[in-house]
Amino acid sequence: MYWIEIIGTFAFAISGIRMAAIKRFDLFGLYIVGLATAVGGGTIRDILLGVRPFWFDDLVPLLIVAISLVLYYFFSKLINKIAGTMFLFDTIGLAIFTLLGLTKALDLGCSFIIAIIIGALTGAGGGVIRDICINEEPLIFRKEIYALACVAGGIMYFLLEYLGAGPAVYHGGCIAGVMIIRFLATKYHWELPKVRLE
Amino acid sequence: MYWIEIIGTFAFAISGIRMAAIKRFDLFGLYIVGLATAVGGGTIRDILLGVRPFWFDDLVPLLIVAISLVLYYFFSKLINKIAGTMFLFDTIGLAIFTLLGLTKALDLGCSFIIAIIIGALTGAGGGVIRDICINEEPLIFRKEIYALACVAGGIMYFLLEYLGAGPAVYHGGCIAGVMIIRFLATKYHWELPKVRLE
Amino acid sequence: MYWIEIIGTFAFAISGIRMAAIKRFDLFGLYIVGLATAVGGGTIRDILLGVRPFWFDDLVPLLIVAISLVLYYFFSKLINKIAGTMFLFDTIGLAIFTLLGLTKALDLGCSFIIAIIIGALTGAGGGVIRDICINEEPLIFRKEIYALACVAGGIMYFLLEYLGAGPAVYHGGCIAGVMIIRFLATKYHWELPKVRLE
């Protein structure tokens, strides 16, 4: 679990760093946007839940973003080539962050609907903060089934729990739910409808 | 009071949904922008006051935004036609949210100046978050007497209380103050001056 | 110290007001952007630390922003002429806000790395909020050694403390560190490298 979280943090950091690089931000800007993408969702979660941001007691994410920046600086060509692999990592990160947000909300006494929302915010919030930082319309509002995958994973969690499954099953089910929906949505270009404007 | 709050939430949700639809966001994006507009001001208020967001214990706003989205999806032509009625609803929402923010701040021990500010943030904050989400300059900074109407309502509250009026009077006075200033400002195209630039 | 803080608040407020005026915001928009610039960093700090925003118990910043607005409205030509002096004030503000953020974080039990980050957020956060409000890419991500000067000041603080210096010395060292790095960076056009894109 811990290593999966690190992989997710790394993938989110690289996603922020790449988009900031396209915007011609300097190395400091890249670091901050990478950090905001990687820890932004969890920070929103912690502010809403009324607890201290998780990175106050855990400097590992700050370090991972720094390592991501160094790697991107020296191997940006390579990283752009393995964008498909990065998509896999990003989806793992999305799934694991959703589960972490959901369980933290439950631990702090939230109802299951709020827990699903907090899970989706934890997973998808970093990408929204990234897009606001680089002054773009948040991507998730237009193009992809992204946050909805988090919601699907959250529903899977409570469905399996309701059916009497053990923690390993509903934790795994949540992660699998997010990943499968995201993969299917990307593969088959699922898109939500838009309202027709005259 | 409860029904007025629901009307306000509905009006704010529709305002967010309409602007997101113009930006060609998908249904999920419409829901999130509608939600951010409807509960954003109250969420900022609760974060500043150090309490849990109000919608943690009250799922009604989440439901109203969902209903608003369904209505907008099927009846967008009709809703665009009754934009004048929506303006009335929106102003009711602005007034009621201002009063709710102000009284919550007082309940939690804030001074009256801070309570007026919190009231204005609660009323007008949702619109600012909406505009940041859709990547536009916040409308209230440029075009309308909007947040100032909230401030006027807040001043009315404390003026009437100071003059010895009962709660029903100063609560009503606050709501009336916001609505009257907003109607007059819109009808007579009141605008604040801008600084002349060379 | 108190007067230096007021000078810093004034400089930050003017910086926000000037940029909002360029965007043709009205007087209310100018006030809000000025306020967001002046108290935004400290508000982010207080939200992350889980305490009430400092301006709840201290209305002086709200007043200083109002005075700044009046001065700017009547003397904008003069203020634009003394932009060099404003740069000095702004740098003083940056340094003092960094120190205030850092010491508040320490008082509330944060580790020294978190305190440095909180210090930099307090100093540089207002400018980021300003740029998001006026719908521009945050300047600090692209052009200047700005937040890094805050980090340098924070390191100076702990270095001098570690070497056994008294509070006056490491407080002064932090302020001097921020100001010197910022002046040198501006004078010699120091810039961080950017990633080369193909």
Side-chain angles (χ1 to χ4, degrees), chain B residues 93-156:
Chain B
L94 186 68
I96 199 90
F97 287 161
T98 301
L99 178 61
L100 287 172
L102 188 151
T103 50
K104 189 162 188 176
L106 289 177
D107 287 346
L108 290 164
C110 294
S111 69
F112 85 97
I113 289 185
I114 295 299
I116 291 176
I117 294 172
I118 297 284
L121 274 173
T122 311
V128 174
I129 293 185
R130 175 197 65 203
D131 294 342
I132 290 175
C133 277
I134 61 172
N135 201 23
E136 293 285 334
E137 282 170 22
L139 202 62
I140 66 159
F141 294 159
R142 281 231 282 214
K143 284 227 180 106
E144 291 176 75
I145 306 276
Y146 189 83
L148 270 192
C150 305
V151 174
I155 291 170
M156 187 65 80

Side-chain angles (χ1 to χ4, degrees), chain A residues 117-180:
Chain A
I117 293 172
I118 297 284
L121 275 173
T122 311
V128 175
I129 293 186
R130 176 197 64 204
D131 295 342
I132 290 174
C133 277
I134 61 172
N135 201 25
E136 292 285 335
E137 282 169 20
L139 202 62
I140 66 159
F141 294 159
R142 281 232 282 213
K143 283 227 181 107
E144 291 177 74
I145 306 277
Y146 190 83
L148 270 191
C150 305
V151 173
I155 291 170
M156 186 65 80
Y157 181 101
F158 288 106
L159 194 67
L160 290 170
E161 195 193 22
Y162 179 78
L163 296 172
V169 175
Y170 54 73
H171 285 170
C174 173
I175 290 178
V178 177
M179 292 184 67
I180 289 168

Side-chain angles (χ1 to χ4, degrees), chain A residues 108 135 137 141-142 193 195, chain B residues 23-24 26-27 52 133 135:
Chain A
L108 290 163
N135 201 25
E137 282 169 20
F141 294 159
R142 281 232 282 213
V195 172
Chain B
K23 283 273 175 166
R24 313 295 301 127
D26 64 24
L27 283 188
R52 282 211 176 168
C133 277
N135 201 23

Side-chain angles (χ1 to χ4, degrees), chain C residues 89-167:
Chain C
F89 286 178
D90 185 76
T91 305
I92 293 173
L94 185 69
I96 201 90
F97 286 160
T98 301
L99 179 60
L100 287 172
L102 189 150
T103 50
K104 191 162 188 178
L106 289 177
D107 287 348
L108 291 163
C110 294
S111 69
F112 84 98
I113 289 184
I114 296 299
I116 290 176
I117 293 172
I118 297 284
L121 274 173
T122 312
V128 174
I129 294 186
R130 176 196 64 205
D131 294 342
I132 290 174
C133 277
I134 62 172
N135 201 26
E136 293 284 335
E137 282 170 22
L139 202 62
I140 67 158
F141 294 160
R142 282 232 282 215
K143 284 229 180 102
E144 291 177 74
I145 306 277
Y146 190 84
L148 269 192
C150 305
V151 174
I155 291 171
M156 186 66 80
Y157 181 102
F158 289 105
L159 194 68
L160 290 170
E161 195 194 22
Y162 179 78
L163 295 172

Side-chain angles (χ1 to χ4, degrees), chain B residues 32-193:
Chain B
I32 297 295
V33 176
L35 189 63
T37 312
V39 309
T43 305
I44 293 177
R45 172 199 63 198
D46 292 342
I47 289 174
L48 291 178
L49 291 172
V51 298
R52 282 211 176 168
F54 66 102
W55 44 270
F56 272 42
D57 305 309
D58 177 14
L59 298 176
V60 173
L62 309 183
L63 196 66
I64 294 173
V65 177
I67 294 169
S68 306
L69 183 57
V70 172
L71 288 176
Y72 186 76
Y73 188 73
F74 289 109
F75 307 108
S76 63
K77 272 189 201 172
L78 181 67
I79 288 174
N80 289 330
K81 257 184 209 155
I82 58 164
T85 316
M86 291 309 303
F87 174 79
L88 174 65
F89 286 178
D90 185 77
T91 304
I92 293 172
L94 186 68
I96 199 90
F97 287 161
T98 301
L99 178 61
L100 287 172
L102 188 151
T103 50
K104 189 162 188 176
L106 289 177
D107 287 346
L108 290 164
C110 294
S111 69
F112 85 97
I113 289 185
I114 295 299
I116 291 176
I117 294 172
I118 297 284
L121 274 173
T122 311
V128 174
I129 293 185
R130 175 197 65 203
D131 294 342
I132 290 175
C133 277
I134 61 172
N135 201 23
E136 293 285 334
E137 282 170 22
L139 202 62
I140 66 159
F141 294 159
R142 281 231 282 214
K143 284 227 180 106
E144 291 176 75
I145 306 276
Y146 189 83
L148 270 192
C150 305
V151 174
I155 291 170
M156 187 65 80
Y157 181 102
F158 288 105
L159 194 67
L160 290 170
E161 195 194 23
Y162 179 77
L163 295 172
V169 176
Y170 54 74
H171 285 171
C174 172
I175 289 178
V178 177
M179 292 184 67
I180 290 168
I181 297 289
R182 176 128 166 78
F183 281 132
L184 290 178
T186 306
K187 175 149 192 194
Y188 296 107
H189 303 285
W190 288 352
E191 277 188 25
L192 287 174

Side-chain angles (χ1 to χ4, degrees), chain C residues 5-188:
Chain C
E5 194 182 336
I6 285 180
I7 289 175
T9 304
F10 173 71
F12 274 36
I14 290 286
S15 123
I17 290 169
R18 285 176 73 189
M19 295 193 62
I22 291 169
K23 282 273 174 167
R24 313 297 301 132
F25 287 6
D26 65 23
L27 283 187
F28 174 77
L30 264 58
Y31 183 77
I32 297 296
V33 176
L35 189 63
T37 312
V39 309
T43 306
I44 293 176
R45 172 199 63 199
D46 293 342
I47 289 173
L48 291 178
L49 291 172
V51 298
R52 282 210 174 169
F54 66 102
W55 44 270
F56 272 43
D57 306 307
D58 177 14
L59 298 175
V60 173
L62 309 184
L63 196 66
I64 294 173
V65 178
I67 294 170
S68 306
L69 183 57
V70 173
L71 287 177
Y72 185 76
Y73 188 72
F74 288 109
F75 307 108
S76 63
K77 272 189 201 173
L78 181 66
I79 287 173
N80 289 331
K81 258 185 208 154
I82 58 163
T85 316
M86 292 308 302
F87 174 78
L88 174 64
F89 286 178
D90 185 76
T91 305
I92 293 173
L94 185 69
I96 201 90
F97 286 160
T98 301
L99 179 60
L100 287 172
L102 189 150
T103 50
K104 191 162 188 178
L106 289 177
D107 287 348
L108 291 163
C110 294
S111 69
F112 84 98
I113 289 184
I114 296 299
I116 290 176
I117 293 172
I118 297 284
L121 274 173
T122 312
V128 174
I129 294 186
R130 176 196 64 205
D131 294 342
I132 290 174
C133 277
I134 62 172
N135 201 26
E136 293 284 335
E137 282 170 22
L139 202 62
I140 67 158
F141 294 160
R142 282 232 282 215
K143 284 229 180 102
E144 291 177 74
I145 306 277
Y146 190 84
L148 269 192
C150 305
V151 174
I155 291 171
M156 186 66 80
Y157 181 102
F158 289 105
L159 194 68
L160 290 170
E161 195 194 22
Y162 179 78
L163 295 172
V169 175
Y170 54 72
H171 285 172
C174 173
I175 290 178
V178 177
M179 293 183 68
I180 289 168
I181 297 289
R182 176 128 165 80
F183 281 132
L184 290 178
T186 307
K187 176 149 192 195
Y188 296 105

